[in-house]
Amino acid sequence: MIKLTVNGHEHMLNAEPDTPLLYVLRDQLALNGAKFGCGLGQCGACTVMLNGEAVFSCLTPLLLAAGKNVTTVEGLGTERSPGPMQRAFIEEQAAQCGYCIAGMMMRAQALLRKNPSPSDADIRTAMQPNLCRCGSHMRIMRAIKRAAALMKTADAGTGGRASP
Amino acid sequence: MVLSRLIGLVVLLVVLVSGSFGVFAWHSAIPAIDPPQASSFEPELVRRGAALASIGNCNTCHTRDNGPSFAGGLRIPTQFGSIFTTNITPDAETGIGRWSEAAFARAMHEGIDREGRHLYPAFPYDHFTHITGEDIRALYAYFMTRQPVRAETPPNDLRFPLNLRFMIAGWKLLFFRQGVFQPDSQHDAAWNRGAYFVEGLSHCSSCHTPRNWLGAEQRDQRYSGGEAEGWTAYALNASSPSPVPWDQDALLHYLRYGWHAAHGIARGPLAPVIGNLGALSDDDLSAIATYIADIAGPPSPERAQRGRAILNRTTATAAGAASTNGDSIASTTTMTTTGDESDGAAIFAASCAPCHESGRAMPYGGIDLARSTGPNGPTARNLINVVLWGLPPSNGQRSPIMPGFMDVMSDDQLRALLIYVRQRFGDGPAWTNIDRDIRDARSDKFDVGIYPAPSSDPAFGVVSEREVR
């Protein structure tokens, strides 16, 4: 049994230590926000946060996540009460097909944790590992800047406060 | 009486020796000039100089991270402290704008700046001394026609007594041999052309030869491996740890495209070197391959046979036939016993195998690690650097990438992975000093150089990343 904390909830999992974290999240915990894209750590659709750092869950064996705090897009807020990152993406309508967006939000969340006021260059550098095939990059850029602004306002606290 | 005479003699001797050392060490300034007009240089000469500067890899050291090209300021950590690279743009105040060609040539050939001060041998004038006057002229024309950038060079931070520049005169006396390259009539023109580049402008042995305690290349161990920016620079001679022996064709392909199916992808400080070699014609690059293949020499029959066996054994994965993934994991499961080792196997299976055992062709598929020098090298350093930082994407052009695992793996987990990979893919005893090497890589001891792989897409040509940034 391997202990895993996801979005603040503890789980005891019966899985092999080399099982990719992504499979555990989707298949065992029914958290389907993180997506399987390439399975090679080259597209970023599977990005989640591990102790606050953005990681590719498709290449992260359960062994490396054990005992750490995993945050998925579900941990950033709910449909009724979206967190500031999610609100920003909705308000900017940053998704087209949406497949990459959960990963985008998680990497952006990890960026804003460390750097609450990133420059455009900071955002571009940090987001480099995540690809969007629809080409909504400019909206994604705007959404991340909006999220940074939202997080500094008083009403940002209604959602998305899962521990990193 | 005898004693005082002896003392007198010793004093005289000391005065004479230090006097003549002073004469040897002292150099006059070469008069400053008004910065020459860019239009005073022949375009053709400037173009040749551009190619030569690229081959000399000047931009990599003389450009700080994300800084303007050739304006210097990059910190070079050494065992004696830090040296900062200088501004070699033609800025009159902070660059070499007031240097005449004679001053530039003296710096390249003798390691003395315009004002007569000795230069630290982090500037590889022990190699640049071999460059012909004609090529020096072209390089001078190139640098004097760059955009001048005002950028003060930060002061060096070196320990006493090495912070005293006249000490370098002693270093030169011991280790520096001045002289333009002389062709060796025993060898053909291609070999000599290759030797001219490799020993001179390209200064390959600066990284690929071990250095002594005073930082000089050990002549009796030329090309038996050295280090650069926190990476192990592998031996190029007969002691090369490459599982498949290098030959001229493989070298030519690798130096042109930055990868080879039997050897892998250039990474670390070699990546920008290969990007810069894009300025060389096929003939000149082939000459370099000729010369390096000669340094390597033909492999022993045992090594050649082992290389062939590895290629045959790994062809199935390389060609995309049935993956050996399941088999190999199974076979290693029986081999592993301790918790650490099974951790290594599990990490490998989830984090590494999806690319390195996918059967996808190089360079966008990962190399079968049995072919890679990484697990077979003398230290774990290169593998540590690659696992921690991967291969970042190149800006604006296609290049192979690898994700880094810096944020995911603890030191213990990284060690478990390294031990597993060494055991399974390496041919040699267990690495010692793994813990120290992990600690050093994560600390700022080396400023580990992380570069994108050279672009492998011929459509884009080969562009140096530091140049485009």
Side-chain angles (χ1 to χ4, degrees):
Chain A
M1 299 291 267
I2 294 175
K3 192 177 99 174
L4 193 66
T5 307
V6 184
N7 301 330
H9 299 287
E10 273 189 19
H11 301 271
M12 292 305 290
L13 296 162
N14 193 9
E16 292 298 321
D18 62 359
T19 313
L21 174 62
L22 177 66
Y23 297 3
V24 173
L25 294 174
R26 293 179 59 89
D27 300 344
Q28 297 199 26
L29 303 178
L31 293 168
N32 292 315
K35 299 287 186 283
F36 182 94
C38 64
L40 302 169
Q42 305 208 349
C43 76
C46 68
T47 306
V48 301
M49 289 200 311
L50 204 58
N51 283 358
E53 302 284 351
V55 303
F56 300 118
S57 62
C58 73
L59 289 185
T60 304
L62 191 52
L63 172 77
L64 295 185
K68 296 179 185 165
N69 290 317
V70 181
T71 312
T72 69
V73 72
E74 290 89 345
L76 296 185
T78 62
E79 211 178 326
R80 288 187 156 210
S81 174
M85 182 62 71
Q86 293 163 319
R87 257 178 65 197
F89 271 72
I90 295 166
E91 286 166 11
E92 290 293 343
Q93 288 292 288
Q96 189 166 321
C97 88
Y99 202 81
C100 71
I101 292 297
M104 290 282 182
M105 285 195 276
M106 296 319 294
R107 193 168 295 277
Q109 183 82 13
L111 165 68
L112 295 186
R113 261 188 80 248
K114 284 190 199 160
N115 179 0
S117 309
S119 65
D120 280 15
D122 292 337
I123 296 175
R124 283 171 194 271
T125 306
M127 299 304 290
Q128 211 167 22
N130 288 45
L131 306 182
C132 165
R133 295 298 297 266
C134 303
S136 57
H137 300 92
M138 297 319 289
R139 291 182 179 211
I140 292 170
M141 286 280 294
R142 282 203 297 275
I144 295 170
K145 284 199 270 191
R146 180 182 284 259
L150 282 176
M151 284 181 188
K152 291 173 188 155
T153 62
D155 66 340
T158 50
R161 277 287 173 252
S163 56
Chain B
M1 221 42 171
V2 176
L3 189 68
S4 64
R5 256 192 212 174
L6 202 63
I7 290 171
L9 203 65
V10 167
V11 168
L12 186 69
L13 210 64
V14 166
V15 167
L16 273 178
V17 166
S18 56
S20 51
F21 181 76
V23 169
F24 169 79
W26 189 83
H27 293 273
S28 60
I30 292 178
I33 57 167
D34 288 332
Q37 293 288 316
S39 57
S40 64
F41 296 95
E42 285 293 317
E44 182 47 37
L45 193 64
V46 174
R47 197 171 307 131
R48 265 196 342 105
L52 292 168
S54 187
I55 297 159
N57 218 32
C58 312
N59 60 334
T60 311
C61 284
H62 284 283
T63 307
R64 68 181 157 77
D65 288 348
N66 301 313
S69 288
F70 304 120
L74 185 76
R75 184 176 86 99
I76 311 266
T78 75
Q79 69 251 49
F80 316 110
S82 294
I83 294 180
F84 289 87
T85 61
T86 51
N87 180 350
I88 54 169
T89 71
D91 182 61
E93 294 348 300
T94 62
I96 60 168
R98 297 195 178 280
W99 289 37
S100 62
E101 190 184 320
F104 181 77
R106 184 171 73 169
M108 295 288 280
H109 280 157
E110 301 175 39
I112 296 163
D113 75 3
R114 188 193 65 75
E115 287 152 299
R117 293 176 306 181
H118 290 281
L119 294 169
Y120 286 101
F123 172 51
Y125 50 82
D126 49 340
H127 294 280
F128 294 166
T129 190
H130 302 318
I131 301 170
T132 62
E134 194 188 351
D135 284 351
I136 295 274
R137 238 188 109 219
L139 283 161
Y140 179 71
Y142 175 69
F143 285 113
M144 296 314 272
T145 51
R146 294 310 88 205
Q147 188 69 38
V149 177
R150 196 182 160 77
E152 286 292 350
T153 301
N156 294 332
D157 179 20
L158 292 163
R159 281 199 303 277
F160 179 83
L162 292 150
N163 54 346
L164 306 174
R165 284 189 181 263
F166 73 85
M167 295 296 290
I168 305 169
W171 188 93
K172 285 180 178 174
L173 201 59
L174 290 171
F175 304 117
F176 177 52
R177 300 291 170 268
Q178 193 184 328
V180 169
F181 176 78
Q182 298 302 324
D184 181 345
S185 58
Q186 303 283 308
H187 292 280
D188 64 10
W191 186 96
N192 276 298
R193 184 88 180 133
Y196 173 69
F197 284 127
V198 169
E199 300 297 343
L201 199 47
S202 296
H203 60 286
C204 303
S205 77
S206 287
C207 296
H208 288 282
T209 293
R211 291 175 181 271
N212 65 18
W213 66 281
L214 280 171
E217 290 178 31
Q218 292 177 261
R219 278 170 220 279
D220 54 342
Q221 293 186 54
R222 285 172 77 232
Y223 297 110
S224 62
E227 56 183 272
E229 297 182 42
W231 296 74
T232 292
Y234 298 128
L236 302 182
N237 61 14
S239 59
S240 157
S242 175
V244 180
W246 285 93
D247 59 28
Q248 194 181 334
D249 289 344
L251 282 163
L252 183 57
H253 188 280
Y254 188 79
L255 294 174
R256 182 51 94 205
Y257 300 108
W259 64 277
H260 187 273
H263 300 281
I265 294 171
R267 68 237 167 143
L270 187 61
V273 169
I274 287 179
N276 279 333
L277 288 178
L280 270 181
S281 69
D282 285 348
D283 281 351
D284 283 345
L285 198 63
S286 175
I288 287 180
T290 303
Y291 181 69
I292 297 178
D294 188 50
I295 291 171
S300 66
E302 297 75 39
R303 230 188 122 212
Q305 199 197 342
R306 183 170 163 262
R308 274 193 302 275
I310 287 168
L311 282 179
N312 288 336
R313 178 154 57 78
T314 50
T315 298
T317 40
S323 166
T324 56
N325 194 350
D327 288 353
S328 45
I329 294 294
S331 65
T332 46
T333 311
T334 54
M335 184 173 88
T336 59
T337 46
T338 71
D340 263 9
E341 284 166 22
S342 66
D343 279 5
I347 296 169
F348 184 85
S351 301
C352 315
C355 284
H356 288 283
E357 300 199 328
S358 68
R360 272 217 305 167
M362 294 263 300
Y364 297 107
I367 189 172
D368 187 311
L369 292 182
R371 295 181 175 194
S372 169
T373 311
N376 288 280
T379 72
R381 274 190 193 171
N382 293 7
L383 214 52
I384 292 170
N385 294 343
V386 152
V387 171
L388 288 179
W389 289 287
L391 272 176
S394 183
N395 258 344
Q397 52 187 346
R398 222 158 71 150
S399 70
I401 64 170
M402 173 180 149
F405 294 85
M406 178 80 165
D407 297 328
V408 192
M409 268 180 230
S410 68
D411 290 359
D412 285 346
Q413 291 162 335
L414 177 55
R415 185 201 310 112
L417 176 65
L418 295 168
I419 290 171
Y420 172 79
V421 168
R422 173 69 163 177
Q423 207 170 68
R424 182 167 159 209
F425 300 102
D427 179 49
W431 279 314
T432 51
N433 298 325
I434 287 187
D435 290 307
R436 187 202 61 195
D437 288 345
I438 292 175
R439 210 169 44 240
D440 286 351
R442 291 215 206 233
S443 75
D444 61 356
K445 175 168 177 186
F446 297 120
D447 290 356
V448 174
I450 304 298
Y451 302 84
S455 170
S456 54
D457 193 335
F460 285 102
V462 188
V463 182
S464 157
E465 189 72 358
R466 277 258 168 86
E467 285 285 275
V468 292
R469 267 186 187 157

